[in-house]
Amino acid sequence: MQPEDSPELQQLYRGFEALHLNPLWTQIGDLMPVHPRPRAVAHVWKWADLYPLAQASGDLVPVGRGGERRAIGLANPGLGGNTYITPTLWCAIQYLGPRETAPEHRHSQNAFRFVVEGEGVWTVVNGDPVRMSRGDFLLTPGWNFHGHHNDTDQPMAWLDGLDIPFSFQNDVGFFEFGADRVTDYATPRFSRGERLWAHPGLRPLSGLQNTVASPIGAYRWEFTDAALTQQLLLEDEGHPATVEQGHAAVRYINPTTGGDVMPTIRAEFHRLRPGTETPARREVGSTVFQVFEGRGAVVLNGQTHRLEKGDIFVIPSWVSWSLQAETMFDLFRFSDAPIIERLNFERTLIEATE
């Protein structure tokens, strides 16, 4: 109940304003809603629209000091022009032309790359060259020097994800320039980090100390694909291997802890059989998907959006969503779940079907 307006009340409010005060009773509905009411909105970006613009930027915009990266951020229409896909996550298409090098730098923000198509680029992370190929998920944890070089005569584009909005809002960011080139132009098939850590179920005795982020620089598509394939085969054999009928999924993990690959970002990969529809659900926190292969749809707050390879869509907190597979449907997913869970804000609602 609000107080009755009066000259005395208006004088009280002017006193509050003069001292930079705001009374709770005039704003509690915005500060403490019955359920999350995000300013960010559900939205879909079509790869067929994004990639030509990335190509055009390759012809017009140089890579080097000043701009640092030829990265095109996806700006959520509900966030007032900020280049944030959600209040906690940043997402961009990065484009590197033939024989180009993006110079090294480092920052507090955690970053990753996901490759929907192409090959021939190496990202060099703390001096370790890491091959980038279709279907690979690659890490650049916070405060690791990193640069990229294209060793081919063809351009390449990929998805970047970072926790920039979360870092910016909480004033925790640092940035530092590194080498103007990259520190190692070698092009090994596997990075040193992979050679040491990427062996299922095995941990080197030289690395018994837990790390905040995963020491694996690249999670290769061949292993992701094999894991998803086996889940569906086990389901065919009657074993409980999938998260839902016809829905296989894996989470990329930090092998030193069994937890998420980075402290602020969760990454997963999902595969749906043709004809599979997931239940509609609402979750606290922000999620972004990119279609890796196949055709299907996402239903966002009751509105159906057709999807194909490369398309990207965002699901803000507590927005209703479900997936529908027309063909075999492969999707990469990242979210701010580690932040939400660590702060004990997680909540999921599976909506009843009619």
Side-chain angles (χ1 to χ4, degrees):
M1 179 179 295
Q2 295 297 316
E4 184 176 347
D5 192 19
S6 67
E8 293 79 9
L9 183 65
Q10 293 302 318
Q11 183 178 357
L12 176 65
Y13 286 165
R14 287 191 293 272
F16 288 161
E17 184 177 359
L19 294 178
H20 306 288
L21 304 173
N22 282 313
L24 175 63
W25 60 83
T26 64
Q27 55 189 311
I28 190 169
D30 293 328
L31 292 176
M32 299 180 182
V34 175
H35 58 75
R37 294 194 175 98
R39 290 187 299 116
V41 298
H43 192 75
V44 177
W45 290 264
K46 305 295 290 183
W47 188 250
D49 297 327
L50 294 173
Y51 191 73
L53 291 173
Q55 286 181 305
S57 71
D59 296 331
L60 299 171
V61 180
V63 171
R65 294 302 184 212
E68 288 294 300
R69 302 289 188 257
R70 192 185 291 111
I72 306 166
L74 279 60
N76 191 294
L79 295 180
N82 286 323
T83 310
Y84 303 162
I85 198 165
T86 81
T88 53
L89 298 172
W90 193 83
C91 179
I93 305 302
Q94 187 170 164
Y95 187 91
L96 198 63
R99 306 292 171 181
E100 281 190 325
T101 295
E104 291 193 348
H105 62 217
R106 65 178 176 176
H107 40 70
S108 304
Q109 295 83 356
N110 296 285
F112 72 81
R113 334 272 164 216
F114 179 73
V115 185
V116 72
E117 61 184 12
E119 59 182 16
V121 169
W122 270 257
T123 182
V124 182
V125 182
N126 279 349
D128 190 5
V130 186
R131 171 175 54 90
M132 299 177 63
S133 301
R134 174 170 157 76
D136 293 345
F137 170 63
L138 307 106
L139 297 186
T140 308
W143 213 235
N144 283 239
F145 277 113
H146 56 283
H148 319 300
H149 70 95
N150 188 340
D151 201 50
T152 74
D153 295 323
Q154 299 297 321
M156 184 171 161
W158 60 86
L159 183 80
D160 279 346
L162 295 93
D163 55 10
I164 290 174
F166 178 79
S167 300
F168 182 80
Q169 184 66 31
N170 290 284
D171 295 320
V172 299
F174 292 86
F175 180 92
E176 184 178 326
F177 291 118
D180 287 341
R181 305 291 287 169
V182 293
T183 51
D184 192 335
Y185 275 90
T187 56
R189 178 163 176 77
F190 297 108
S191 62
R192 295 190 294 273
E194 291 171 82
R195 292 167 61 192
L196 186 61
W197 282 97
H199 306 285
L202 302 174
R203 181 170 183 168
L205 290 183
S206 60
L208 294 181
Q209 183 176 355
N210 290 351
T211 57
V212 172
S214 172
I216 301 176
Y219 294 73
R220 299 297 177 190
W221 169 242
E222 60 190 283
F223 303 120
T224 305
D225 182 40
L228 297 164
T229 297
Q230 290 302 320
Q231 285 188 21
L232 293 176
L233 288 174
L234 286 166
E235 181 183 79
D236 288 338
E237 297 166 15
H239 302 291
T242 53
V243 291
E244 299 161 336
Q245 188 68 29
H247 179 185
V250 294
R251 180 175 298 167
Y252 302 94
I253 65 164
N254 177 349
T256 75
T257 64
D260 288 294
V261 289
M262 292 187 290
T264 54
I265 296 175
R266 173 168 295 168
E268 299 174 347
F269 202 99
H270 295 251
R271 173 173 290 170
L272 278 64
R273 293 184 191 271
T276 298
E277 297 186 13
T278 67
R281 68 190 68 209
R282 298 176 187 268
E283 298 166 319
V284 171
S286 304
T287 283
V288 180
F289 278 92
Q290 183 175 35
V291 178
F292 179 68
E293 196 63 80
R295 297 187 309 276
V298 60
V299 182
L300 298 167
N301 276 339
Q303 185 175 358
T304 301
H305 304 266
R306 309 301 303 175
L307 300 169
E308 55 191 4
K309 178 181 173 181
D311 292 350
I312 299 165
F313 60 93
V314 59
I315 307 168
S317 186
W318 215 242
V319 165
S320 173
W321 67 277
S322 65
L323 299 172
Q324 301 172 348
E326 180 181 341
T327 66
M328 191 72 82
F329 201 31
D330 283 0
L331 304 102
F332 171 77
R333 177 186 186 184
F334 72 99
S335 72
D336 58 10
I339 300 171
I340 301 302
E341 291 178 2
R342 196 167 289 117
L343 297 176
N344 202 33
F345 287 132
E346 75 271 20
R347 185 179 296 195
T348 300
L349 172 67
I350 306 298
E351 298 181 326
T353 57
E354 295 182 0

